[in-house]
């Protein structure tokens, strides 16, 4: 497996890592098999999160069988305050059955307000600094769908890694990664397969891997078949041919009219709908086959697609000219009969 250094962490990580979100629908024996095959294929980086229900727990059980020493473990907290972050770190340690976590990240810092809360005196960042001093974690990172939040984080030189969506459609992050590279900050790529939207997954992963400024890709995988298919990219990496690039570009063009990049420019919605989140949970339902989890998330929203009054204020703000109202109607038609 090709390896790259994860910025200033110094960790030499496999080009293809493991994204832990979709295993929520797996049985433990399936996760055990996945982890066994990750080891065999040379994957040494696992990313999960407190928000992924039982993902940490099942990974911890699998590592008890196959060995913690084979992997660098990364997980995340959505919390912002000192006490809540500290509590999440301790829970993660227990669920993963480990004495230390290699990389602990803030999970999807959505807005500058969230970021400033994290970084305020006595905020979540201070908690991770204290955890690092205590040896509970080794490195500190941040993830976001907001370019602006991560750009600010890079300016302040507080984080050792950033995590951001990147694929042939969601390609806005390239300058961000170049900046991170110049500061020796590791770059973790989420959504390299656009939530499973691409027909040619191999081409999509190779397109991302061609960028020399990124460190590791973490496609979500919930089967041994996916592990074997995706790790082939890291075990025998070659750049795309012209024909392969044209095929992938055709795939991207087909998705481009209805694919939400989660940039957040459509906000704020007068009805309080978090529009990108509507499409994220729809994608988890349709493409990740996480029906129950996605439905529970949809129910938990203060406002959802069924609250859309078709005012259209969001659409002029979308830099990709997406038909947001029609897309929300599609989301509503999917979930509302199930409520």
């Amino acid at each position: 497996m090709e390896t790259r250094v994860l910025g200033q962490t110094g960790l030499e990580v496999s080009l293809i890592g493991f994204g832990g979100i979709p295993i929520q629908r797996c049985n433990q024996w399936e996760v055990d098999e996945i982890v066994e095959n990750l080891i065999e294929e040379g994957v040494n980086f696992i990313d999960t999160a407190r928000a992924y229900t039982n993902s940490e727990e099942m990974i911890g059980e699998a590592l008890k069988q196959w060995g913690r020493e084979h992997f660098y473990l990364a997980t995340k907290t959505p919390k912002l305050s000192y006490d809540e972050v500290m509590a999440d770190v301790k829970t993660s340690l227990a669920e993963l059955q480990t004495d230390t976590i290699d990389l602990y990240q803030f999970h999807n810092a959505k807005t500058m307000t969230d970021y400033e809360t994290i970084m305020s005196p006595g905020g979540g960042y201070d908690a991770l600094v204290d955890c690092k001093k205590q040896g509970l974690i080794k490195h500190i990172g941040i993830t976001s769908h907001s370019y602006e939040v991560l750009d600010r984080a890079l300016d302040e030189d507080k984080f050792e890694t950033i995590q951001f969506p990147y694929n042939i459609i969601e390609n806005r992050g390239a300058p961000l990664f170049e900046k991170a590279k110049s500061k020796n900050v590791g770059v973790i790529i989420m959504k390299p397969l656009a939530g499973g939207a691409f027909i040619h997954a191999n081409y999509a992963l190779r397109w991302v891997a061609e960028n020399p400024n990124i460190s590791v890709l973490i496609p979500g995988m919930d089967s041994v078949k996916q592990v074997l298919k995706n790790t082939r990219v890291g075990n025998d990496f070659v750049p795309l041919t012209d024909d392969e690039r044209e095929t992938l570009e055709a795939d991207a063009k087909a998705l481009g009219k209805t694919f939400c990049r989660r940039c957040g420019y459509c906000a704020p919605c007068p009805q309080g709908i978090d529009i990108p989140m509507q499409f994220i949970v729809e994608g988890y339902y349709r493409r990740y086959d996480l029906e129950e989890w996605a439905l529970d998330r949809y129910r938990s929203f203060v406002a959802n697609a069924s609250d859309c009054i078709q005012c259209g204020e969001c659409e002029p703000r979308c830099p990709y000219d997406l038909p947001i109202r029609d897309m929300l109607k599609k989301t509503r038609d999917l979930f509302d009969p199930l409520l």
Side-chain angles (χ1 to χ4, degrees), residues 196-214:
F198 293 118
I199 298 172
H200 298 87
N202 180 278
Y203 299 173
L205 291 175
R206 286 161 60 198
W207 185 93
V208 175
E210 286 177 343
N211 189 322
N213 298 318
I214 68 102

Side-chain angles (χ1 to χ4, degrees), residues 10-234:
L11 304 178
E12 190 171 331
V13 296
S14 51
L15 176 60
I16 303 299
F18 175 74
I21 187 171
I23 63 169
Q24 296 171 86
R25 65 171 174 267
C26 293
N27 296 314
Q28 184 63 55
W29 67 266
E30 293 173 307
V31 178
D32 293 345
E33 285 191 344
I34 288 170
V35 170
E36 178 185 13
N37 279 268
L38 291 175
I39 295 170
E40 291 178 356
E41 296 303 316
V43 173
N44 70 356
F45 185 84
I46 289 177
D47 178 271
T48 182
R50 290 295 313 122
Y52 301 163
T53 61
N54 61 348
S55 178
E56 285 183 332
E57 179 183 358
M58 287 196 292
I59 289 169
E61 282 295 316
L63 293 181
K64 185 169 66 174
Q65 176 178 354
W66 295 110
R68 164 73 172 87
E69 69 276 7
H70 294 291
F71 296 98
Y72 297 119
L73 289 181
T75 191
K76 307 183 281 289
T77 176
K79 306 300 186 182
L80 309 178
S81 71
Y82 184 99
D83 289 344
E84 289 179 314
V85 169
M86 188 67 73
D88 264 5
V89 170
K90 292 177 180 178
T91 301
S92 292
L93 288 166
E95 295 289 340
L96 290 166
Q97 302 188 48
T98 185
D99 295 328
T100 186
I101 293 166
D102 298 289
L103 174 64
Y104 214 94
Q105 305 156 96
F106 288 100
H107 192 177
N108 192 19
K110 291 184 179 180
T111 65
M112 284 298 182
T113 299
D114 287 345
Y115 179 80
E116 288 166 1
T117 300
I118 290 167
M119 304 305 295
S120 63
Y125 183 81
D126 284 351
L128 290 191
V129 170
D130 285 348
C131 287
K132 189 173 179 180
K133 290 176 181 176
Q134 296 170 32
L136 303 179
I137 67 173
K138 295 182 179 179
H139 304 284
I140 301 173
I142 185 170
T143 85
S144 183
H145 291 280
S146 167
Y147 185 107
E148 290 73 21
V149 166
L150 294 188
D151 192 45
R152 168 82 171 274
L154 288 174
D155 284 340
E156 296 189 350
D157 296 320
K158 296 289 188 180
F159 295 94
E160 298 167 89
T161 66
I162 60 170
Q163 186 176 140
F164 193 69
Y166 186 60
N167 53 64
I168 194 171
I169 295 176
E170 299 172 280
N171 54 25
R172 184 170 175 248
L176 193 71
F177 307 150
E178 186 173 358
K179 182 175 181 177
K181 182 80 168 186
S182 72
K183 291 176 170 286
N184 197 25
V185 172
V187 175
I188 303 166
I189 300 302
M190 59 169 145
K191 309 297 188 295
L193 296 176
F198 293 118
I199 298 172
H200 298 87
N202 180 278
Y203 299 173
L205 291 175
R206 286 161 60 198
W207 185 93
V208 175
E210 286 177 343
N211 189 322
N213 298 318
I214 68 102
S215 308
V216 55
L217 294 67
I218 51 168
M221 295 178 268
D222 65 357
S223 69
V224 170
K225 180 180 180 180
Q226 290 176 359
V227 170
L228 298 178
K229 184 177 181 180
N230 292 338
T231 55
R232 192 175 304 131
V233 171

